[in-house]
Every structure is written in structure tokens, then in C-alpha cells.
Amino acid sequence: MEDRTGQAGQAGATAILGFDPGDPAFRADPYAHYRTLRAAGQPLHRTDVGLRVTASHELCERILRDPRFGHRPSGGRMWRDMPARHRSFLTMDPPDHTRLRRLVSKAFTPRLVERLRPRVEELVDTLLRPLSGEVDLIATLAYPLPVIVISEMLGVPAEDRDLFKGWSDSLARGLDPDFLLPEAEIAQRDAARDEFAEYFRVLAAKRRAEPRDDLLSALVGVSDGGDVLSEQELLATCILLLVAGHETTVNLIGNGALALLRDPAQLRVFRERPDNARAAVEELLRFDPPVQLTLRSALEDVDLDGTLVERGKLVLLLTGAANRDPAVFDDPDRLDLLRYADGRDTPKHLSFGHGAHFCLGAPLARLEGRVALGKLFERDVALAAGDLVYRDNLVLRGLRDLPVVIRA
């Protein structure tokens, strides 16, 4: 099942996943494939090599909160062992995950996020002010906003932000399973992790000597009954927060803006109901989520509605498909910005996961999405002519660029 060369190719990837993630048609509209998969009538599908795949909202949600499923059993994986120095709590199981998340949560509180609102608004205004004519919305707004925010939170000097672009791109691509990646990209990802870690090692030493009012200083000094982050844990956590802290939001802003620009009626709702911004962003997250899937391994033999998933075997959770499950959402392929409005009993989407691994940065991503899209569409914006190209990631879904025309 493992492909240690990283060169499975189209046929190999299709055999493993049940679809070709490199197909331009799939990248442009994975939801058409998800509908076909769901039409087969089996909540838990089995691919040619034995991988279990589900597009069911109920099953995805159940597995995500089931402690019998996790990340790192012995054997049966489709990715290689990650060196301990690179492993963040994102890919750990309890009790390690519980301990590290608790320590990090002490420094990453909703109160801290809410304090950022004026700064996020100021940054969006600054980024939007010079935009006129045809511009790339990814390069001018969706990418720089979350990078600046998370960099400032961590205490990264402004002059160092440009260092992160290449590292982050390599690490984002590296979120995909190894069997999809050429050896060169795996090596590039691993080198980026090492360079990133060395950068934060030096910066953390400075914060130990001279603490500041930033997240890195808080992480250096965080304590819970005498428990502290080791240097390896600290470095892996910093890398996770910086990469996850902006990659998801880049795609939230880009995918959300595109969905609104393609649907004039819903864009009118968005503009005319600023009081509905919170619910609107939840629907945009459901409709075209930044994260499309996740993997879980059975930590023991598990019976799922009569199907045995043996210890060490993987289940591919298509959370992007689950967000459009007609068994859960009415008219799921339609964008409805009032779907999550007050008074509506709409099931939660799975765009930030569920259970113990629910995204720690969800409040920040939501805040940035609301502010960025709200202020963007106070202006006259239209899609520019030309084809849209999506990035090569499978786990993450986002545009390489988003050409728009902004009129004064």
C-alpha cells in the first residue's frame, strides 16, 4: 500500500484514493466527483488497494470524535515516519496531543484573538486602499493579511516575513500523503521544516532572554503545573501555527470571494446584510472549504456499521464532500448565506474538523475572513476574464491567483 518512491503516478493515485487528484477537472470541481461517489450508495467505500473512503457527514463526524481512530498506529500507513523534531500536536494522539494542545491553548485564547480585531481591520484597509483596476486578490489581500497577522502574533520581525513564502508553500504541499509527492518535493518539504525550525530556534532564544508581548514569548514561558514545552515541541508548534495560521485563511478568503463573485444574488445578500457576516462566512466555509479531507487510522479493530476497519488501516474522510451531504444539508450544492442565520437549526460543517483535533486557529480564521470579505465587497469588484487555476494540493483547496477588477 505504501509508495515509498513518492511517484505513484496517475494510475497509482487513482488505485489508492479512488480518484485522480491531479485531474484538472477534479481540481476545478471536486464536488462533482463527490456526488458520483455518493451515488454509489455506500457510506464507506473501498478503493482498489483497500483504503476506506467516506463522503458521509455522519460517518466523518463520528470517526473524528471516536478515540479508536488517530494518527500514528504501528504499521499500515501511507506516509513515512516523521522525525520527532518535526512532529506537531496536529499529528499526535492522546495523551501527547492532549498535553501539548492544553499548553498551547493557554497562550492562544479567544480573548487574544478578539483583541486583534482592530489590527485586522487596519491591515485590510491598508491592503485594499491602493487596489484599482485588474489585480490578483490572492497576492494582494488573501495571502498577505493572514501572514502579517500570524507573524505579528508570534513576534516575527516584519523584515523576515518574506522568508516564509517558500517554506510555507513547501510545507503546505507536504500536507498531502507522501505517495502523491515526487521525491524532490518530499526533500524540499523536509528541508523547509529544518530551515523553519532553525529560524524559530534563534528567535525563541532571543525571547527567552528578552520576553515581549507576543505569542512566541508566551509559548516559551507557558507552564501548566510545571509542565513546559520542550525545544522540539516549541519549534514544531511555531511552524504549525505559522503555516496553519495562514494557509487555511488564504483559501477561505480566496474561495469565499470567488463563490460570491460567481453568485450575484448571494453577493447582494452579503452586501445588504452586514449583520449576517458571521453566518455568511460559516456558509462559505461549508460551500467550498479550505481543507478538503483528512486521514485517520484505526488504533484498534473497529466495526463501522458492519464493516471491519482493522487496526492500522486508514480511512479517508472527505470532509469537503461531507459538507455537501444531502442527508444533512438541504439543497447542499446551493450557496445560501442565510443557512446559518440566527434561528436556523443547521448542522455544523466539518471545515475545521471535529472532536479533539478541532482547529485551534478557527476563531482567528473566521475573524480574518469576516473582516477581509466584508471590506472587500464594500467596493465594486468583478471577476476578470481568464481561466482559474488551483494549487496542486489535495488536502488544501485554493487558487493560485484570483484576477479581479476593482473599480474606484
Side-chain angles (χ1 to χ4, degrees):
M1 192 170 183
E2 289 191 31
D3 183 328
R4 292 191 176 276
T5 68
Q7 298 179 8
Q10 176 179 331
T14 301
I16 294 171
L17 296 171
F19 57 90
D20 174 17
D23 182 352
F26 176 82
R27 291 201 185 284
D29 182 15
Y31 307 104
H33 165 75
Y34 299 155
R35 287 191 293 272
T36 301
L37 183 66
R38 189 176 288 110
Q42 297 176 327
L44 196 61
H45 302 261
R46 186 181 186 279
T47 69
D48 292 346
V49 298
L51 175 68
R52 301 291 182 176
V53 182
T54 183
S56 161
H57 184 281
E58 188 276 331
L59 202 50
C60 284
E61 184 180 57
R62 194 195 323 169
I63 291 171
L64 286 171
R65 59 180 164 81
D66 191 332
R68 296 174 298 173
F69 287 92
H71 286 276
R72 296 285 165 181
S74 57
R77 297 182 298 276
M78 286 194 297
W79 58 86
R80 19 182 122 182
D81 288 323
M82 185 184 296
R85 68 183 184 278
H86 291 322
R87 290 194 60 202
S88 71
F89 62 85
L90 181 67
T91 58
M92 291 181 180
D93 299 319
D96 293 332
H97 170 267
T98 308
R99 168 185 162 265
L100 290 175
R101 185 179 174 110
R102 183 178 66 246
L103 288 174
V104 174
S105 296
K106 283 182 169 293
F108 204 89
T109 64
R111 179 181 60 83
L112 180 62
V113 170
E114 187 55 35
R115 279 172 44 194
L116 290 171
R117 180 182 296 274
R119 178 57 176 156
V120 172
E121 292 175 344
E122 178 187 17
L123 286 170
V124 173
D125 287 338
T126 300
L127 291 168
L128 286 175
R129 191 173 298 118
L131 300 187
S132 182
E134 184 167 332
V135 299
D136 173 13
L137 205 59
I138 302 299
T140 56
L141 177 64
Y143 176 77
L145 172 64
V147 167
I148 294 171
V149 171
I150 195 63
S151 295
E152 290 185 350
M153 284 183 70
L154 281 165
V156 171
E159 61 269 21
D160 290 347
R161 288 177 201 145
D162 289 344
L163 293 172
F164 298 149
K165 183 70 169 87
W167 292 338
S168 186
D169 287 347
S170 296
L171 292 177
R173 176 64 170 138
L175 292 174
D176 289 351
D178 279 8
F179 67 81
L180 292 177
L181 304 178
E183 283 291 336
E185 290 194 15
I186 292 174
Q188 187 176 13
R189 174 198 63 193
D190 292 345
R193 281 181 178 142
D194 285 335
E195 292 169 11
F196 229 147
E198 181 57 30
Y199 174 85
F200 276 117
R201 182 178 290 108
V202 173
L203 192 59
K206 294 179 181 178
R207 293 297 181 268
R208 284 191 185 94
E210 297 181 12
R212 297 184 183 179
D213 184 20
D214 57 41
L215 185 53
L216 180 55
S217 297
L219 290 172
V220 167
V222 73
S223 178
D224 184 14
D227 193 6
V228 297
L229 292 168
S230 70
E231 182 174 69
Q232 284 186 359
E233 292 166 346
L234 172 66
L235 299 179
T237 298
C238 288
I239 294 171
L240 169 66
L241 292 178
L242 199 141
V243 175
H246 83 270
E247 284 289 350
T248 300
T249 309
V250 171
N251 296 340
L252 163 58
I253 296 171
N255 296 355
L258 177 61
L260 290 170
L261 289 167
R262 283 175 163 173
D263 193 329
Q266 290 302 302
L267 179 54
R268 281 197 299 275
V269 172
F270 187 78
R271 284 173 164 150
E272 293 170 1
R273 293 283 305 272
D275 60 309
N276 190 58
R278 187 179 298 270
V281 167
E282 292 309 300
E283 171 66 352
L284 292 170
L285 282 163
R286 182 203 69 84
F287 184 75
D288 196 9
V291 179
Q292 288 283 305
L293 57 89
T294 188
L295 285 163
R296 288 294 186 272
S297 299
L299 303 178
E300 59 185 74
D301 290 352
V302 181
D303 182 281
L304 288 177
D305 300 333
T307 297
L308 177 65
V309 181
E310 298 173 327
R311 181 179 183 273
K313 297 298 184 181
L314 286 167
V315 181
L316 181 65
L317 308 178
L318 296 174
T319 51
N323 282 351
R324 296 197 185 194
D325 187 343
V328 175
F329 300 101
D330 294 332
D331 200 2
D333 293 318
R334 182 173 69 89
L335 182 66
D336 177 6
L337 297 188
L338 298 179
R339 191 183 297 269
Y340 286 97
D342 290 342
R344 291 199 180 186
D345 187 22
T346 303
K348 294 180 179 179
H349 58 72
L350 300 178
S351 300
F352 289 122
H354 188 69
H357 283 274
F358 185 81
C359 178
L360 190 66
L364 179 58
R366 285 169 162 140
L367 171 64
E368 291 173 330
R370 289 196 297 269
V371 174
L373 293 171
K375 288 183 173 291
L376 170 66
F377 287 110
E378 289 174 357
R379 307 185 67 177
D380 184 355
V381 186
L383 274 176
D387 295 331
L388 297 172
V389 179
Y390 284 82
R391 296 167 66 185
D392 291 334
N393 298 84
L394 171 64
V395 174
L396 299 175
R397 172 168 169 78
L399 295 154
R400 289 187 185 275
D401 48 45
L402 179 55
V404 300
V405 176
I406 298 179
R407 303 179 182 90

